[in-house]
Amino acid sequence: MREPTLRQLRTFLSVIEQGSVTEAARALGLTQPAASQQLRELERITGVRLLERAGGQALPTPAGQALLEPARRAQAAAEDALAATAPHRNGETALVRIGTGATACIFFLPAVLAEARKAMPGLQVTVTIGNTAGLVPRLIAGELDLGLLTLPAEPARGLSVTPLLDDSFLALLPEAMAKGRKHITPPELAALPLIAFEAGSHTRALGDAWFRAAGLAPAPAMALGSVEAIKPLVGAGLGAALLPAMALRPPPPGTRALALKPALSRQIGYVLRREKIVDRGLRLVLKALEKAAR
């Protein structure tokens, strides 16, 4: 079943307001035959007469009177739709949905978003926290606009990956365990109680691979899902941890951050769908990311 169009409803309302089809057509910038055609089509769709003449003026029939309020609501909704999208057309606002890890969200992203918001005060951002494996499918599905992820992201058709920066890993030790060391090796770190990231995270996998390359597979004394939960436990003297350097500027009180020997780092980059439309808001976020990574 066909439904009335906004143009037909607008013509109907104009006839009621102006009192004639001729005046309504003039007000709408239409020819009189075009306005009459709109009204005939509207009556055909609704199946009822909507207008009648009395005293030389077009008046609504009872069916037309019933249509007045729905028609006005439809016109108001169309005006609201234009008003809601106007800031986006004018480049005044945008929504960017970002997926990233907790560490990058806490220690890297705030300065990036502050930079982007300076250029677009109306920028709206939502941030979803997760690991690379969980966020990539949401990017592919269009639920996220941008991924700020530990690389390599799982190769997927339709995604573009842009490396941004290398983030070194450091060993965070309680002062009492550091014992004047400047660096630490896998056997030395494995000999200490370890506070690790939870299994399944990309960060945990990198750490496990670093130990495995030395022929080691130490079992953590504790495993947690957040770098901010791990740091106070190290500060309390409960063990040592392998953490990204961006989370240790500076190390918390009562701890020391030691270089790893051999070194270990992770690469962070941003991931987009190849067909993603890069509007002004997203473009400003990408520009701020690249600036912060320099």
Side-chain angles (χ1 to χ4, degrees), residues 30-228:
L30 301 173
T31 64
Q32 195 272 344
S36 296
Q37 176 61 31
Q38 292 285 344
L39 294 170
R40 285 195 297 272
E41 185 65 13
L42 180 60
E43 289 183 331
R44 191 187 71 76
I45 291 170
T46 58
V48 292
R49 286 288 303 275
L50 298 173
L51 295 166
E52 59 186 358
R53 294 190 64 80
Q57 186 174 12
L59 297 174
T61 64
Q65 194 70 39
L67 180 60
L68 280 174
E69 188 54 34
R72 287 171 180 149
R73 288 200 303 269
Q75 181 165 297
E79 291 168 356
D80 288 346
L82 288 174
T85 56
H88 295 266
R89 290 195 305 273
N90 300 334
E92 297 170 5
T93 190
L95 171 64
V96 179
R97 302 165 299 169
I98 301 174
T100 190
T103 303
C105 179
I106 296 169
F107 298 103
F108 184 67
L109 201 53
V112 169
L113 297 183
E115 177 77 15
R117 285 288 297 274
K118 281 195 296 185
M120 181 187 280
L123 179 65
Q124 302 171 43
V125 177
T126 63
V127 180
T128 300
I129 304 299
N131 57 38
T132 297
L135 293 174
V136 165
R138 300 192 64 179
L139 278 165
I140 295 170
E143 298 171 10
L144 297 171
D145 302 310
L146 166 68
L148 179 61
L149 306 176
T150 301
L151 303 181
E154 287 298 319
R157 186 176 179 182
L159 292 182
S160 67
V161 178
T162 303
L164 275 177
L165 58 93
D166 289 319
D167 185 27
S168 299
F169 276 75
L170 299 172
L172 186 67
L173 275 65
E175 285 279 7
M177 293 183 187
K179 297 178 181 177
R181 293 185 176 108
K182 293 185 178 180
H183 54 74
I184 194 165
T185 64
E188 291 169 336
L189 188 56
L192 303 174
L194 289 179
I195 305 172
F197 278 91
E198 62 188 355
S201 68
H202 205 117
T203 302
R204 172 67 179 273
L206 287 171
D208 287 349
W210 184 73
F211 281 115
R212 194 162 52 248
L216 301 168
M222 287 181 268
L224 295 93
S226 164
V227 65
E228 290 304 283

